[in-house]
């Protein structure tokens, strides 16, 4: 049985301590120490560390798992050859440069005969950096119609932020279970094993960050409240499975897939405590901040989660959403302004239609605007917004667009450049923009 919203616990703050016991085994958490000589119920203790042991206390992340068998109990890993092996990539330096604006019509959902689970349906669209030195990002799309039976997946390379667009994901993790539907997101952090079950065709997006973890953005002058509130993030509760039999563990390591076999279920954690957990978030809980006077604010006001770099104020990646909201700015061109940016912007659409591009940008599709590549509203949007009545108006009702924004210059994989659903006429959406210059007018 998969837990629903009420069965998850609030992740009341990033860095806070949490704990959970499967109710079938009360008092399974050791009292007073992490690693007793013998754990309750004769469990094994195992620490999962998400940061260096010596990281400062406020940023140190680790959890203790009390499990029936330790995760070390498997045969050696071997390279995994599957239908998407050539589409999972981390050596981005070898790819050709592509500075043009790019758009993709909806990526194809799997057909009944495809038989793809989450791992075999995962494909890298673009990325940058290096998984070996652990500094970079990978952006993926996934399409699957099979559940992961007797198998689990984990990434040794980084954290996965998963954004469903079509179909609900039933995710089992070592920490418990989560149901993640379109309009929600989840984060499975580095090293955490999980399996995805689905009911029919599913599709979505994923962002992986190497070498850091997602945190809530600093609010600064916004104050104590706003954007994504800590209390709205949920973590799973312990729910062990003691099945025995052959299970396949798939690892993403240095950008490549490997598999190993073990003779027991990997989700056999009876209890856990710590601050390094998977979690989910409902995007409708986001408290939007916006202008109530004039001008169009920078999209950073819509940041849900950020993965900071070592340079203050610069992110390896941000996860940004554009939710329904009121637009009330006076004397203002209200849609996004035309701009060139020192960040790369990959946008996806979960539902509805995006205000700056009503045509062509569809749920399940994407756009990519590289560093310093100009972009902005299409010609139709510009003409409409330039002459609109500026009464207060609702924006993006029935819509949820998002953006993976990165300070890295992203390289695009060959399959994504060559796929039939790439819109090679994307640039034409700006072709109708014409000069309105009149030197006599002030």
């Amino acid at each position: 049985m998969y837990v629903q919203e009420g069965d998850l616990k609030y992740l009341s703050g990033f860095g806070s301590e949490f704990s959970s016991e499967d109710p079938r085994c009360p008092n399974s958490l050791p009292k007073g120490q992490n690693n007793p000589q013998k754990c309750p119920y004769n469990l094994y203790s195992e620490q999962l560390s998400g940061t260096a042991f010596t990281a400062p206390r406020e940023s140190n992340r680790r959890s203790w798992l009390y499990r029936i068998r330790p995760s070390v109990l498997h045969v050696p890993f071997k390279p995994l050859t599957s239908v998407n092996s050539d589409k999972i990539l981390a050596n981005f330096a070898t790819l050709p440069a592509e500075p043009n604006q790019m758009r993709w019509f909806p990526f194809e959902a799997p057909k009944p005969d495809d038989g793809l689970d989450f791992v075999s349906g995962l494909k890298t669209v673009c990325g940058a950096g290096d998984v070996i030195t652990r500094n970079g990002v990978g952006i993926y799309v996934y399409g699957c119609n099979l559940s992961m039976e007797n198998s689990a997946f984990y990434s040794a390379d980084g954290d996965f932020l998963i954004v469903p667009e079509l179909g609900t994901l039933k995710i089992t993790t070592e920490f418990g279970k989560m149901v993640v539907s379109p309009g929600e997101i989840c984060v499975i952090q580095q090293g955490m094993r999980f399996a995805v079950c689905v009911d029919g065709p599913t599709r979505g997006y994923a962002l992986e960050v190497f070498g850091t973890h997602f945190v809530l953005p600093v609010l600064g002058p916004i104050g104590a409240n706003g954007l994504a509130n800590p209390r709205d993030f949920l973590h799973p509760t312990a729910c062990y499975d003691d099945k025995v039999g052959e299970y396949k563990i798939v690892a993403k390591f240095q950008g490549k897939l490997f598999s190993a076999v073990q003779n027991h279920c990997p989700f056999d954690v009876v209890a856990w405590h710590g601050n390094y957990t998977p979690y989910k978030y409902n995007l409708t809980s986001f408290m939007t901040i916006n202008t109530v006077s004039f001008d169009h604010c920078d999209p950073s006001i819509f940041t849900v989660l950020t993965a900071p770099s070592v340079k203050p104020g610069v992110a390896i990646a941000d996860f940004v959403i554009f939710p329904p909201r009121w637009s009330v700015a006076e004397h203002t061109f209200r849609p996004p302004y035309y701009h060139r940016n020192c960040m790369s912007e990959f946008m996806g659409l979960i539902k509805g239609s995006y205000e700056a591009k009503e045509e062509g940008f569809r749920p399940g599709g994407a756009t990519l605007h590289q560093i310093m590549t100009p972009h902005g509203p299409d010609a139709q949007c510009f003409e409409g917004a330039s002459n609109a009545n500026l009464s207060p108006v609702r924006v993006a009702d029935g819509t949820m667009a998002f953006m993976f924004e990165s300070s890295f210059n992203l390289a695009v994989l060959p399959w994504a450049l060559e796929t039939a659903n790439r819109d090679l006429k994307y640039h034409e959406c700006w072709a109708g923009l014409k000069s309105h210059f009149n030197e006599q007018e002030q």
Side-chain angles (χ1 to χ4, degrees):
M1 176 180 176
Y2 284 87
V3 293
Q4 301 299 324
E5 198 82 3
D7 300 308
L8 293 139
K9 290 189 175 180
Y10 285 119
L11 186 68
S12 58
F14 287 81
S16 300
E17 286 277 336
F18 313 101
S19 63
S20 182
E21 296 178 337
D22 191 306
R24 292 171 288 178
C25 297
N27 301 312
S28 49
L29 279 172
K31 300 296 189 293
Q33 64 181 114
N34 294 321
N35 189 28
Q37 184 178 21
K38 287 190 176 181
C39 295
Y41 296 91
N42 292 315
L43 297 170
Y44 287 88
S45 60
E46 179 177 287
Q47 183 174 243
L48 178 61
S49 296
T51 56
F53 299 140
T54 52
R57 183 183 290 266
E58 65 271 14
S59 58
N60 202 305
R61 295 198 186 185
R62 60 91 181 93
S63 285
W64 282 90
L65 311 178
Y66 301 95
R67 58 194 320 149
I68 297 169
R69 299 171 186 83
S71 59
V72 72
L73 197 60
H74 61 77
V75 301
F77 282 97
K78 296 180 180 180
L80 177 65
T81 301
S82 62
V83 294
N84 63 335
S85 296
D86 61 335
K87 296 182 178 66
I88 299 290
L89 187 70
N91 186 9
F92 302 107
T94 63
L95 299 177
E98 176 52 83
N100 289 306
Q101 302 98 339
M102 283 174 274
R103 179 164 69 186
W104 292 270
F105 296 125
F107 292 94
E108 190 173 3
K111 301 181 178 65
D113 294 339
D114 289 341
L116 299 174
D117 65 16
F118 181 81
V119 177
S120 58
L122 188 67
K123 297 187 290 188
T124 314
V125 178
C126 54
D130 184 19
V131 295
I132 296 178
T133 59
R134 301 192 61 232
N135 185 33
V137 297
I139 292 175
Y140 307 83
V141 292
Y142 69 83
C144 56
N145 56 357
L146 286 183
S147 296
M148 294 174 63
E149 302 290 349
N150 295 339
S151 66
F153 172 67
Y154 75 92
S155 175
D157 296 333
D159 289 7
F160 262 89
L161 188 158
I162 301 172
V163 185
E165 177 268 327
L166 173 67
T168 294
L169 305 181
K170 299 176 182 178
I171 302 177
T172 300
T173 76
E174 295 173 275
F175 294 77
K177 303 187 180 200
M178 300 184 294
V179 176
V180 187
S181 300
E184 299 178 310
I185 62 166
C186 71
V187 174
I188 312 291
Q189 303 196 70
Q190 182 188 15
M192 296 176 179
R193 298 181 176 185
F194 67 100
V196 176
C197 288
V198 296
D199 297 314
T202 66
R203 181 175 60 193
Y205 314 82
L207 168 66
E208 185 180 21
V209 293
F210 317 138
T212 189
H213 298 295
F214 290 104
V215 296
L216 293 172
V218 175
L219 293 180
I222 292 175
N225 306 291
L227 308 187
N229 290 305
R231 71 178 304 270
D232 294 321
F233 288 81
L234 304 172
H235 70 69
T237 54
C239 180
Y240 74 86
D241 189 338
D242 191 22
K243 291 180 182 176
V244 294
E246 184 175 294
Y247 284 80
K248 181 172 72 173
I249 308 299
V250 178
K252 181 177 174 289
F253 180 79
Q254 295 185 7
K256 300 179 177 62
L257 297 181
F258 297 82
S259 67
V261 174
Q262 63 186 48
N263 62 4
H264 65 282
C265 179
F267 308 118
D268 64 352
V269 175
V270 177
W272 60 265
H273 78 87
N275 60 0
Y276 191 53
T277 72
Y279 53 91
K280 64 173 281 188
Y281 177 74
N282 190 319
L283 300 179
T284 61
S285 299
F286 189 81
M287 179 182 167
T288 308
I289 303 293
N290 212 338
T291 182
V292 292
S293 54
F294 59 86
D295 279 353
H296 183 98
C297 297
D298 295 327
S300 49
I301 61 169
F302 300 114
T303 302
V304 180
L305 292 169
T306 183
S309 72
V310 295
K311 188 175 182 179
V314 179
I316 287 177
D318 289 326
F319 174 64
V320 178
I321 63 172
F322 303 100
R325 59 201 182 275
W326 281 98
S327 182
V328 300
E330 301 175 318
H331 311 296
T332 295
F333 181 76
R334 287 177 174 177
Y337 44 78
Y338 294 99
H339 63 293
R340 292 170 291 164
N341 195 358
C342 61
M343 305 280 277
S344 298
E345 301 179 5
F346 178 94
M347 281 193 65
L349 189 59
I350 300 171
K351 64 177 182 178
S353 59
Y354 181 55
E355 58 179 298
K357 292 189 176 61
E358 297 281 351
E359 300 294 332
F361 186 37
R362 306 169 192 164
T367 62
L368 175 61
H369 302 127
Q370 298 276 29
I371 288 176
M372 293 304 171
T373 295
H375 54 286
D378 59 25
Q380 180 181 344
C381 177
F382 175 80
E383 294 297 335
S386 297
N387 299 289
N389 183 330
L390 294 183
S391 302
V393 63
R394 289 284 294 175
V395 175
D397 276 338
T399 294
M400 185 63 76
F402 72 89
M403 181 165 66
F404 297 151
E405 186 176 55
S406 176
S407 59
F408 282 88
N409 218 326
L410 302 178
V412 184
L413 269 68
W415 79 265
L417 292 174
E418 299 163 3
T419 181
N421 65 301
R422 183 180 170 193
D423 181 6
L424 297 177
K425 296 182 178 180
Y426 179 35
H427 63 282
E428 294 180 3
C429 76
W430 294 287
L433 293 169
K434 57 186 179 181
S435 172
H436 296 277
F437 177 65
N438 182 348
E439 64 180 8
Q440 304 302 322
E441 182 178 335
Q442 296 185 9

